[in-house]
Amino acid sequence: MFHLVPRRRLKLRVLLAIYLLVPVTSQDVLESQDSVIDYAPNTNVQCPDLSTTSLIRVFTPQNQTLHPEETEYVSKRASDVLPDAWRDWLGVSTAEHGYNLSAFQGNFPRVGMAIPGGGMRAALYAAGCLSGLDARNDSAKAAGTGGLLQVVSYMSGLSGGSWITGSLFFNNWPTINEMVLGNDKDMEGWLLELSLATPDGINLFSDKNQAFFGSVLWSVMAKANKGVDTSITDPWSRMISYHFLNQTNRKNFFTNDTAHGAGQLWSDIPLIPAYQQHKTPFPIIVADSRPVGSNLTTSLSLDPVVYEITPLEFASYDPNLSAAMNLTYAGTHLSNGKPENGSACVTRFDQAGFIMGTSASLFNQLFDFARNSISAFSSDDGDGLLYVLKRQLREVRTRADDVANWPSPFNGLKNTTFEDSDKNWLELIDGASNHENIPYAPLFVRARGMDVIVTIEGSADESNNWPNGSSLVFTNQRQSTLLRSSHQQFPPIPQTPEAFIEAGVNARPTFFGCDPKQDPPEFPLVIYLPNAPPLNGDDPVTNTGTFKLSYTRKHQSLFLSQVHRNTISGFTPNANTPDPNFGTCLQCAAIDRARLKVSPPIPRSALCDQCFQQYCYDPRNPPSKLALPGRKQVFVDPDPAGFSKLGNFFSKNKFALIGGLAGLVALLGAMIGGLLLWKRRKTKQQTYKRVNTLHEDDAPWQRYLDHPRGESYELPNHRGSLAH
Ligand SMILES: *[C@@H]1O[C@H](CO)[C@@H](O)[C@H](O)[C@H]1NC(C)=O
Ligand SMILES: *[C@@H]1O[C@H](CO)[C@@H](O)[C@H](O)[C@H]1NC(C)=O
Ligand SMILES: *[C@@H]1O[C@H](CO)[C@@H](O)[C@H](O)[C@H]1NC(C)=O
Ligand SMILES: *[C@@H]1O[C@H](CO)[C@@H](O)[C@H](O)[C@H]1NC(C)=O
Ligand SMILES: *[C@@H]1O[C@H](CO)[C@@H](O)[C@H](O)[C@H]1NC(C)=O
Ligand SMILES: *[C@@H]1O[C@H](CO)[C@@H](O)[C@H](O)[C@H]1NC(C)=O
Ligand SMILES: *[C@@H]1O[C@H](CO)[C@@H](O)[C@H](O)[C@H]1NC(C)=O
Ligand SMILES: *[C@@H]1O[C@H](CO)[C@@H](O)[C@H](O)[C@H]1NC(C)=O
Ligand SMILES: *[C@@H]1O[C@H](CO)[C@@H](O)[C@H](O)[C@H]1NC(C)=O
Ligand SMILES: *[C@@H]1O[C@H](CO)[C@@H](O)[C@H](O)[C@H]1NC(C)=O
Ligand SMILES: *[C@@H]1O[C@H](CO)[C@@H](O)[C@H](O)[C@H]1NC(C)=O
């Protein structure tokens, strides 16, 4: 049981009361309770004394540093928690892997874990995979795979992968099953059977859906009323919070009885008990940026700045920026590191839901997704949908309502290389917008010194929604060109998705970079655990589309167990049976770099050698997908009648197939309409001068009203980023 900063909440109440010019009575204080309007940031906060402290850190790739508290967290975990975790996992004496751990003289590899995007599928895939790597799970422990999760120092999440990351932290690092499916006590799980955008079913005008929309908009308005620009990312963030943060259950879902995660801050993660005990890795969320003024509605090139958000900082280690902002004060405009008004700082902008929503803010590219999906429908349905989409998205197309709006703390910095240096706002978007669906960037930052990177690969790339390595190919390209000075290099991989598929390395666990040539190694070892067809030839239930926004209970639990089983099983070449040595092989991969940390280096053990021959990718002698026979590729719905209980709209109507999407689209329309109306009123009552004076456009909706319609509209030719 933990409560996030009741004291601060109380302060917020008092501030709010002052703000509203309502007398603060002791009753107000006593009855102060969580509310969805806790989503509002605090504005006009006294800034810290900048003569003694700074809100930003500025560095270069050459003198790159981490925040001292990050370094302290990671090293404290390394000294106090990880040695036992390694011993618990690998065993103290010469076990099957053939190493005597004491020979490593206390040197253990530093392990990071990357969780990519892909909506609910990516979150569920990561959940199943983590349960197979968790020492707390009996069958994972028995297989020898359970324990890897316990030795991880960093966890990075992107889009759907940020949702499970956030969920793990804001539920105090629970076991996977209770987090996703609930327990009999205090947790009800992710409630994925309630669709994200239309939790009461497709009828937008049902009382419950209307109440839900009302609550969501109430949060967003509370933020907007502070004069902080909102966008479609804000209602999106609130919806995500209902499922992945921990204040929502079936009973209170359609009420205002709790804050539904509003007021929980990313910068409060250090107060969470599991974090305080150093039981968790250090979490980092990734988001991309759309160059301000570009108005891009397509995916990005590899150039624009990639950002990261830790519990301490909002930062970028890209050479062109190399700067970090104190997360507590994110939301404050800074110019050359200074607020224009020392009494007008912003706090509580870093709402946990908003961080997860920012990382998954793909709205500037939703067109792309629509085109891809629509091709699957009959032309009637397709036309109808496209019409709705066009109408909704035309309204957001030319303005910053389709991105996550972050007041820029980096104005004036690095003005020869940082392209948004002269901008007051940053336009953050889905972390996969540049095709890098796996949040590798933070884990390759040189100063973090990662030895091993575990990839929980739930991307949907090829036609059956399995990964095809595309994300690694793009990351390899970005790192070997733009990030040479700031990041480690990527280990050798197949050069194209086609080669990935041919080699079969996208369809079974693979280790990349097993044999570095340099000392210290020129790249980390990448353990790649892709979402793949069940190795025993069962029908797959885990290769669902990114925009599947609800899962029946039955599907959720089958999904988890299918992924769990694959995760603990490895593969046996030319067969459909588990590899009894896989647990050991995974241990071999995780510990391998420790051999090189002692002098003279310890030779690889015989069994590990054998493991590496099976699981390592050797570019000179690539494996073949032919070694993976009898896998079924095509998704089979395990619970086809599952949603029929929700009413005949679902069961009888052809909309059954598109429920989630149509609902989302219609809802976005409603939300955007609401925001626009609100903004119209807003210009008349500017309450928060500091932010408002920095608006780049006081009446942004006018742009879209003035914008010529119809003719200029065209579908971009890329897939939506979350569709990976
Ligand atoms: C949030 O999670 C923590 C840790 O599991 C728990 O103690 C707390 O009661 C939860 N809060 C709510 C409102 O469920
Ligand atoms: C890094 O170097 C730059 C320029 O050489 C300097 O301005 C900056 O203060 C240095 N930062 C750190 C953290 O040492
Ligand atoms: C492992 O090494 C330590 C220290 O060198 C030694 O005391 C111990 O007996 C070894 N254990 C085994 C099982 O060989
Ligand atoms: C281990 O994970 C599997 C698959 O998610 C689950 O069915 C089982 O209940 C878990 N066991 C424990 C002890 O959590
Ligand atoms: C919550 O309160 C807001 C604002 O009063 C209202 O619009 C909304 O319908 C309420 N939601 C529920 C679930 O009662
Ligand atoms: C982006 O939109 C703004 C506002 O409509 C416009 O001023 C600007 O020229 C546009 N930029 C580009 C590159 O089209
Ligand atoms: C942010 O700034 C406040 C005020 O100076 C300070 O107390 C806090 O430690 C800072 N946080 C980080 C992560 O630097
Ligand atoms: C600074 O901000 C405070 C709080 O909003 C405001 O009262 C004050 O007038 C501002 N000062 C200036 C110089 O704008
Ligand atoms: C860029 O920054 C430098 C040093 O901070 C400053 O002297 C220069 O005028 C700036 N250039 C522009 C175009 O703002
Ligand atoms: C990064 O900086 C370099 C100059 O050092 C510049 O050529 C490049 O265009 C910049 N990239 C972006 C995306 O601004
Ligand atoms: C691989 O995935 C990418 C990105 O998802 C996709 O664009 C491409 O068509 C896929 N290629 C193959 C061969 O599957």
Side-chain angles (χ1 to χ4, degrees):
M1 184 90 177
F2 75 99
H3 293 282
L4 291 169
V5 280
R7 169 101 50 93
R8 259 192 235 179
R9 283 242 163 79
L10 197 113
K11 258 197 242 161
L12 170 68
R13 287 290 136 165
V14 174
L15 282 171
L16 255 181
I18 292 166
Y19 171 74
L20 297 169
L21 299 176
V22 173
V24 185
T25 66
S26 58
Q27 181 144 34
D28 282 325
V29 173
L30 282 177
E31 284 183 1
S32 89
Q33 102 192 76
D34 299 346
S35 157
V36 296
I37 60 172
D38 293 348
Y39 186 67
N42 284 352
T43 52
N44 297 327
V45 173
Q46 187 61 41
C47 303
D49 178 1
L50 294 181
S51 62
T52 57
T53 175
S54 174
L55 289 176
I56 55 171
R57 296 189 304 117
V58 183
F59 45 90
T60 67
Q62 288 70 39
N63 65 8
Q64 184 184 70
T65 51
L66 305 176
H67 191 285
E69 288 170 40
E70 173 182 335
T71 307
E72 189 193 321
Y73 183 85
V74 172
S75 56
K76 190 121 173 63
R77 177 163 160 78
S79 62
D80 296 4
V81 176
L82 294 185
D84 283 344
W86 281 102
R87 273 181 227 118
D88 285 348
W89 185 30
L90 300 192
V92 272
S93 64
T94 312
E96 279 135 24
H97 48 70
Y99 299 116
N100 180 344
L101 286 202
S102 48
F104 297 130
Q105 302 162 19
N107 291 289
F108 294 107
R110 183 172 290 179
V111 184
M113 177 177 273
I115 308 184
M120 300 297 185
R121 180 204 62 256
L124 279 171
Y125 177 72
C129 205
L130 293 197
S131 84
L133 304 175
D134 190 341
R136 296 171 296 180
N137 185 290
D138 299 340
S139 59
K141 183 78 182 155
T145 51
L148 176 55
L149 180 60
Q150 275 66 31
V151 302
V152 170
S153 289
Y154 281 94
M155 174 178 276
S156 65
L158 180 158
S159 206
S162 77
W163 304 347
I164 178 174
T165 305
S167 200
L168 282 164
F169 280 86
F170 287 91
N171 287 289
N172 195 27
W173 206 250
T175 59
I176 296 296
N177 259 51
E178 58 178 346
M179 177 174 73
V180 179
L181 302 172
N183 57 23
D184 294 336
K185 296 170 292 178
D186 52 342
M187 300 177 78
E188 290 212 24
W190 283 350
L191 304 174
L192 298 187
E193 58 278 16
L194 303 178
S195 192
L196 195 75
T198 51
D200 189 42
I202 198 164
N203 178 5
L204 295 180
F205 299 98
S206 77
D207 290 349
K208 283 179 168 178
N209 272 339
Q210 285 296 310
F212 172 70
F213 303 153
S215 299
V216 166
L217 279 168
W218 196 23
S219 294
V220 179
M221 295 311 162
K223 174 173 176 179
N225 272 320
K226 293 298 191 84
V228 180
D229 273 356
T230 56
S231 76
I232 195 63
T233 305
D234 292 278
W236 174 244
S237 300
R238 292 298 300 133
M239 291 172 186
I240 292 165
S241 303
Y242 277 63
H243 296 269
F244 295 98
L245 298 180
N246 79 346
Q247 292 179 319
T248 304
N249 56 39
R250 257 178 220 82
K251 240 169 139 180
N252 68 24
F253 201 103
F254 298 100
T255 71
N256 281 328
D257 292 352
T258 81
H260 298 291
Q264 298 191 353
L265 305 180
W266 203 257
S267 58
D268 280 340
I269 284 178
L271 303 175
I272 291 170
Y275 183 100
Q276 296 213 317
Q277 296 153 18
H278 298 89
K279 276 190 190 163
T280 74
F282 187 78
I284 309 180
I285 301 306
V286 169
D288 286 347
S289 62
R290 175 172 80 174
V292 176
S294 72
N295 312 335
L296 276 176
T297 56
T298 59
S299 55
L300 303 171
S301 71
L302 292 173
D303 288 329
V305 178
V306 173
Y307 289 91
E308 59 162 62
I309 300 149
T310 75
L312 306 170
E313 294 182 315
F314 167 52
S316 177
Y317 289 83
D318 282 10
N320 281 16
L321 179 50
S322 292
M325 163 73 171
N326 183 325
L327 188 65
T328 300
Y329 291 92
T332 306
H333 289 283
L334 300 181
S335 196
N336 291 306
K338 301 205 166 48
E340 286 183 14
N341 179 339
S343 314
C345 272
V346 175
T347 58
R348 305 185 68 80
F349 178 85
D350 60 314
Q351 301 277 325
F354 188 62
I355 304 303
M356 299 188 280
T358 293
S359 181
S361 183
L362 71 168
F363 298 101
N364 66 320
Q365 299 161 77
L366 206 57
F367 289 130
D368 306 336
F369 157 71
R371 199 193 58 160
N372 281 334
S373 295
I374 272 162
S375 56
F377 296 106
S378 72
S379 65
D380 280 8
D381 287 338
D383 288 353
L385 252 181
L386 204 55
Y387 172 76
V388 176
L389 263 173
K390 278 183 182 175
R391 288 215 42 182
Q392 305 312 327
L393 291 170
R394 206 177 283 151
E395 301 191 4
V396 297
R397 184 165 157 248
T398 58
R399 20 194 320 275
D401 264 350
D402 55 348
V403 300
N405 291 301
W406 282 61
S408 178
F410 302 127
N411 178 289
L413 298 186
K414 307 286 171 87
N415 62 13
T416 54
T417 55
F418 172 43
E419 64 185 335
D420 285 333
S421 182
D422 60 342
K423 302 300 192 299
N424 288 317
W425 292 81
L426 298 174
E427 299 187 349
L428 301 195
I429 55 178
D430 190 285
S433 302
N434 66 357
H435 302 288
E436 291 186 285
N437 192 38
I438 302 170
Y440 279 132
L443 304 180
F444 279 81
V445 165
R446 283 187 189 280
R448 294 204 167 106
M450 222 66 72
D451 297 302
V452 179
I453 296 176
V454 183
T455 308
I456 309 297
E457 169 67 301
S459 304
D461 293 323
E462 51 84 88
S463 52
N464 283 309
N465 288 330
W466 303 113
N468 71 12
S470 159
S471 187
L472 292 81
V473 171
F474 279 102
T475 291
N476 183 26
Q477 199 182 330
R478 190 166 199 268
Q479 288 179 180
S480 60
T481 53
L482 304 176
L483 306 184
R484 289 197 79 88
S485 57
S486 54
H487 289 61
Q488 291 195 67
Q489 291 302 293
F490 210 81
I493 50 169
Q495 295 295 302
T496 63
E498 286 77 8
F500 245 89
I501 292 172
E502 250 345 276
V505 293
N506 66 327
R508 45 86 161 179
T510 305
F511 310 152
F512 296 103
C514 295
D515 295 299
K517 300 277 173 293
Q518 294 169 24
D519 179 24
E522 62 272 33
F523 40 66
L525 189 155
V526 170
I527 297 175
Y528 184 70
L529 304 174
N531 187 14
L535 87 166
N536 64 2
D538 279 356
D539 287 330
V541 304
T542 67
N543 51 334
T544 43
T546 294
F547 276 79
K548 182 171 168 50
L549 295 173
S550 54
Y551 286 76
T552 64
R553 298 281 299 176
K554 184 177 171 194
H555 193 173
Q556 290 169 49
S557 81
L558 288 172
F559 195 125
L560 290 183
S561 54
Q562 198 170 85
V563 175
H564 180 91
R565 211 173 327 121
N566 255 15
T567 303
I568 66 177
S569 298
F571 79 109
T572 305
N574 308 308
N576 294 91
T577 48
D579 173 3
N581 286 330
F582 182 59
T584 307
C585 291
L586 197 62
Q587 297 172 12
C588 288
I591 197 70
D592 198 63
R593 291 291 198 256
R595 296 183 305 106
L596 312 177
K597 289 178 188 280
V598 291
S599 163
I602 299 168
R604 197 172 277 156
S605 72
L607 194 124
C608 287
D609 221 18
Q610 205 178 315
C611 282
F612 276 34
Q613 280 172 29
Q614 179 173 339
Y615 289 97
C616 287
Y617 170 73
D618 176 358
R620 289 157 312 170
N621 184 19
S624 164
K625 66 176 179 190
L626 298 176
L628 308 171
R631 268 63 161 182
K632 291 197 181 135
Q633 304 289 328
V634 181
F635 171 75
V636 176
D637 189 343
D639 193 13
F643 279 107
S644 60
K645 290 184 219 81
L646 291 180
N648 54 8
F649 215 105
F650 264 125
S651 57
K652 297 208 183 97
N653 201 293
K654 52 190 170 182
F655 277 99
L657 284 170
I658 57 168
L661 172 62
L664 178 62
V665 167
L667 181 69
L668 294 185
M671 295 290 176
I672 292 162
L675 289 172
L676 291 175
L677 267 178
W678 176 85
K679 281 199 170 170
R680 221 173 280 244
R681 280 191 281 123
K682 184 69 203 159
T683 40
K684 300 207 182 79
Q685 42 144 131
Q686 299 191 348
T687 50
Y688 175 48
K689 292 285 184 307
R690 279 299 102 190
V691 169
N692 277 329
T693 51
L694 292 169
H695 279 195
E696 274 156 11
D697 187 337
D698 271 336
W701 66 87
Q702 254 159 15
R703 279 196 223 142
Y704 96 87
L705 289 179
D706 298 344
H707 195 80
R709 302 200 174 196
E711 302 74 45
S712 63
Y713 176 83
E714 57 175 11
L715 281 172
N717 46 19
H718 292 279
R719 280 164 61 128
S721 60
L722 201 71
H724 281 243

